[in-house]
Amino acid sequence: ASPEDQQKAMASAIQLNPDGIATSGIPISTIQTQLDEAEQKGIWVNTSASTDAPTGAMFDTSIAGPEQLSEWGKMVAAQAIVQSEGTAKIQLFNLPVFPILLEFDKGFKGAVSDWCPGCELEENAQQATDIGTNTPGAVVSALQAAPDTDWVVFDLAELGIGVQSALEGAQLADVNIGGLSALPENYEALKA
C-alpha cells in the first residue's frame, strides 16, 4: 500500500531465500536497496508491470508494460464511449502512487479526449490506504456532486472494494463500473 510496505514485503521475501520473487507495479527506485540485496544473494526479481528498464536483479516480462497499460486504457474508454453513444459522464478513480497505472490513465484520458467530444471526465486521485475505506465514500460523493455520471472507472480493481455496497446504500446503483483488472467481487457484481 505504501513504499515502506513494499520495501518491508520485499525484505521479508528475500529473507526466505527463494530463487525468485515476482512483483507488479513497484518502481525500482522504491525497492532499490532490496534489489541490491537480492542481486547479491543471486535472487532474480521479476516485474510484470513497470515503467522502469530492467536492471540488476530486476527482470521484466513485459506482460503489462507501459504500452499495454495504455492500450487497456483505450479499450475501457472505447467501451464507455460506445455504450454511452458518445455522451459518457465519467469519474476516473486512480492511484498515482503506481507509475505504471498512470499509463492506463493516460491511454484512457487520451482516448476519451480524442474520440468523444461529447464526453465529460473528472479525475479522483486516491491513496492506496483509501482502498476499501475512503474510496467507497469518495465514489458516492463524486456521484452525488455530479448526478449525471454514468461511468465510474478504476485504474486498479482494488479501488472498487466496497464501492458496490456504498452505491447501493446511497441508492446510486444505476452507474456503469469498469476499469483495469478484476477481483472476484467484480465478477459477482457483473453476474448480479
Side-chain angles (χ1 to χ4, degrees):
S2 71
E4 294 79 20
D5 292 337
Q6 294 165 352
Q7 293 162 357
K8 288 177 188 174
M10 282 294 295
S12 294
I14 290 167
Q15 294 308 309
L16 296 172
N17 292 314
D19 292 324
I21 300 169
T23 69
S24 181
I26 301 173
I28 286 177
S29 61
T30 299
I31 56 172
Q32 186 62 62
T33 299
Q34 291 76 26
L35 288 173
D36 292 344
E37 183 179 352
E39 186 174 28
Q40 290 171 358
K41 289 186 164 195
I43 300 169
W44 59 264
V45 180
N46 177 270
T47 183
S48 65
S50 179
T51 57
D52 299 320
T55 180
M58 180 69 81
F59 295 89
D60 184 355
T61 62
S62 298
I63 291 170
E67 291 173 10
Q68 182 62 58
L69 270 280
S70 179
E71 287 301 312
W72 285 332
K74 292 174 186 176
M75 292 166 64
V76 173
Q79 175 66 30
I81 293 165
V82 169
Q83 187 169 326
S84 72
E85 298 180 354
T87 63
K89 309 294 188 257
I90 305 163
Q91 297 289 331
L92 173 62
F93 286 81
N94 54 18
L95 280 171
V97 69
F98 295 107
I100 191 67
L101 296 178
L102 296 175
E103 300 302 322
F104 173 89
D105 299 337
K106 286 180 204 172
F108 182 84
K109 293 184 301 185
V112 170
S113 176
D114 292 346
W115 302 338
C116 193
C119 291
E120 295 176 19
L121 173 73
E122 287 188 44
E123 282 189 80
N124 302 272
Q126 302 293 290
Q127 302 297 315
T129 53
D130 293 335
I131 294 172
T133 59
N134 297 326
T135 300
V139 172
V140 168
S141 294
L143 294 180
Q144 289 171 336
D148 59 344
T149 298
D150 52 4
W151 273 89
V152 172
V153 174
F154 302 114
D155 71 3
L156 187 66
E158 283 79 354
L159 283 168
I161 294 172
V163 168
Q164 191 67 39
S165 312
L167 292 174
E168 290 169 4
Q171 298 180 338
L172 295 169
D174 190 27
V175 64
N176 298 292
I177 298 176
L180 180 64
S181 65
L183 300 172
E185 297 85 18
N186 303 124
Y187 296 122
E188 291 305 315
L190 279 172
K191 288 178 189 176

